[in-house]
Amino acid sequence: MIRTKILGLGSYVPDRVVTNEELPYLDERHVRQATKQTETDDAWIQKRTGIKERRYVPNDASVATSDLAHEAAKRALADANLQANDLDCIIFATLSPDFHFPGTAVVLQRKLGLAGKNDCACYDIRQQCSGFVYGMQMADAFIRTGMYKRVMLVGAELHSHSLDYTTRGRDVMVLFGDGAGVAIFGPMETDDARAGIVYTSAHADGNGANDLNLKIFEINRLPYLDYDPRDREHNQLMYPHMDGKRVFLNAVRGMVMSTNTALAKTGMSWDDIQWFVPHQANLRINEKVVEVAKIPPEKVLNSIEIYGNTTAATVPLTIDHWRKQGKVKRGDRILSSVFGSGFTWGAAIFTF
Ligand code: UT7
């Protein structure tokens, strides 16, 4: 029987570290000012979110989301001992694409040197913080059916350019960071139902669509974009909006539910799983999920303290981070559960 295995994994974060101490002093070009631009502080951010610092790209227009993805993709290819030319499909999960269309997968395809060469299929998916698990479900289906043999799944985000660096936007602004994670999947012949990708689930509830979104424009309007981006009073569509409490409660509910269902449907227990790698939106969300779902605390891996929320990138970034620290090893079984804007959520069990 054909099952799907992870052939390689890589991640990338930009060099600039923005601490909670520095963050309130940044202006909208991320330049540190003498006085606070946003009323927030390290104590509030750490207490409510667990975040200490995050990474930002340079402010000189030299880096786009596809560049973050490209760096992570090169590392994943090296890890898999593959060349870009071996890929026959790219699935790109992001809420911060290089531009509105086409999707960012084709941009990455070109940066990998594949444009016009091997006809590598390109998909962009829009499931925000759930993008990596949704993408893993797609990759698994493509490989099991024989549709594609080498699928690159990308989670990459450039948040720092689209945040509101005023007190108005502080609830969202403090959460997010830039980064990318990439996994490459391929087929293996095995009768072991616990090998490779064991299980994936993907859920959605459109009732949550207004609880966390970034509109930028509304296509039903003429003109569909009618504000001056430099006019801070009237440019609210430019920035993410969030009902934090509703997102928090639904995230805990969705991640607990999908974690427990994943175990029930596979007949597995925490004895069969080495690591729980939840989406990294808020350390307090993850602590609550761990408490309610009775997950052994020593199996939980987080990275939000140092990277913030990198949306579609959090799961591969966290796995790669803890692999570099020597904790996660090839062959370990991981359960991931995720929740994001939409609302969308899901879980996956897979052998790394
Ligand atoms: O991947 C999915 C993406 N997002 C999430 O998962 C986020 C889920 N939600 C959360 O993580 C939390 O709701 C937040 C961390 C965003 C906010 O925490 P909270 O405990 O729900 O705070 P709150 O929104 O109820 O605000 C409490 C107070 C308010 O002041 P008043 O009205 O009590 O005077 C806020 O204005 O904290 C204020 N506040 C801040 N103060 C300092 C909100 N943001 C900040 C801030 N710094 N950054």
Side-chain angles (χ1 to χ4, degrees):
M1 185 185 189
I2 303 255
R3 300 187 71 86
T4 307
K5 69 173 175 180
I6 296 182
L7 303 174
L9 187 89
S11 66
Y12 176 77
V13 288
D15 290 339
R16 181 174 177 188
V17 176
V18 176
T19 63
N20 290 348
E21 189 279 324
E22 183 183 23
L23 188 64
Y25 291 89
L26 298 187
D27 67 9
E28 73 270 26
R29 291 198 47 77
H30 310 168
V31 178
R32 187 178 181 133
Q33 303 296 308
T35 55
K36 272 191 170 183
Q37 309 292 296
T38 307
E39 274 314 313
T40 188
D41 55 57
D42 176 52
W44 192 98
I45 300 170
Q46 282 211 49
K47 182 163 181 275
R48 305 282 180 132
T49 73
I51 298 167
K52 296 179 176 149
E53 59 191 42
R54 71 286 292 143
R55 301 298 184 97
Y56 278 11
V57 299
N59 68 351
D60 57 4
S62 60
V63 179
T65 303
S66 58
D67 297 305
L68 299 174
H70 188 202
E71 292 305 318
K74 286 189 280 189
R75 293 173 185 191
L77 284 166
D79 191 45
N81 206 13
L82 291 172
Q83 306 296 317
N85 218 24
D86 297 320
L87 300 175
D88 49 10
C89 177
I90 298 171
I91 303 169
F92 203 119
T94 187
L95 63 70
S96 47
D98 283 15
F99 25 75
H100 184 48
F101 77 83
T104 312
V106 293
V107 184
L108 177 62
Q109 191 219 44
R110 180 168 52 75
K111 287 184 176 171
L112 286 168
L114 299 177
K117 283 194 181 154
N118 73 349
D119 201 24
C120 169
C122 287
Y123 293 85
D124 273 51
I125 61 170
R126 301 287 305 274
Q127 279 69 29
Q128 298 64 248
C129 301
S130 307
F132 204 78
V133 164
Y134 263 73
M136 194 183 280
Q137 185 172 69
M138 283 176 74
D140 188 31
F142 284 154
I143 283 168
R144 282 181 194 237
T145 57
M147 179 80 74
Y148 301 118
K149 289 206 158 31
R150 296 281 181 266
V151 179
M152 173 176 275
L153 172 60
V154 182
E157 304 289 357
L158 200 169
H159 283 299
S160 60
H161 286 185
S162 58
L163 300 171
D164 182 357
Y165 293 86
T166 69
T167 299
R168 181 180 73 184
R170 64 184 176 176
D171 57 331
V172 177
M173 183 269 280
V174 299
L175 302 176
F176 291 100
D178 303 336
V182 169
I184 302 172
F185 300 94
M188 66 174 163
E189 187 68 48
T190 177
D191 292 327
D192 181 359
R194 296 185 161 206
I197 297 184
V198 181
Y199 170 89
T200 58
S201 71
H203 306 277
D205 176 5
N207 286 322
N210 287 325
D211 291 328
L212 175 53
N213 62 32
L214 168 56
K215 286 193 171 166
I216 300 183
F217 63 83
E218 292 172 310
I219 200 71
N220 54 318
R221 292 176 181 229
L222 272 173
Y224 65 86
L225 201 157
D226 66 353
Y227 54 85
D228 174 355
R230 287 167 214 280
D231 170 6
R232 288 205 171 193
E233 285 305 305
H234 299 104
N235 64 0
Q236 298 201 20
L237 288 190
M238 270 181 69
Y239 300 115
H241 288 271
M242 179 173 74
D243 182 333
K245 286 216 187 309
R246 276 180 60 79
V247 176
F248 192 111
L249 290 173
N250 281 281
V252 173
R253 193 178 301 142
M255 288 166 74
V256 167
M257 188 273 281
S258 55
T259 298
N260 287 339
T261 305
L263 293 174
K265 290 237 164 140
T266 55
M268 289 188 176
S269 73
W270 286 105
D271 292 341
D272 302 304
I273 287 162
Q274 277 71 48
W275 305 111
F276 177 59
V277 181
H279 170 52
Q280 306 288 303
N282 183 329
L283 196 60
R284 309 299 162 231
I285 292 177
N286 293 353
E287 288 168 349
K288 201 73 196 161
V289 170
V290 168
E291 180 196 323
V292 178
K294 298 189 173 54
I295 300 167
E298 69 279 7
K299 298 198 170 189
V300 181
L301 298 179
N302 288 305
S303 65
I304 188 165
E305 300 93 328
I306 51 171
Y307 298 132
N309 181 352
T310 56
T311 314
T314 61
V315 170
L317 189 53
T318 303
I319 295 171
D320 205 30
H321 173 79
W322 286 109
R323 171 169 67 166
K324 287 176 192 156
Q325 306 300 313
K327 266 199 164 183
V328 177
K329 299 194 173 54
R330 293 309 295 241
D332 286 353
R333 198 173 290 120
I334 295 173
L335 194 161
S336 273
S337 69
V338 294
F339 184 91
S341 159
F343 296 133
T344 55
W345 68 99
I349 297 178
F350 51 96
T351 305
F352 177 49

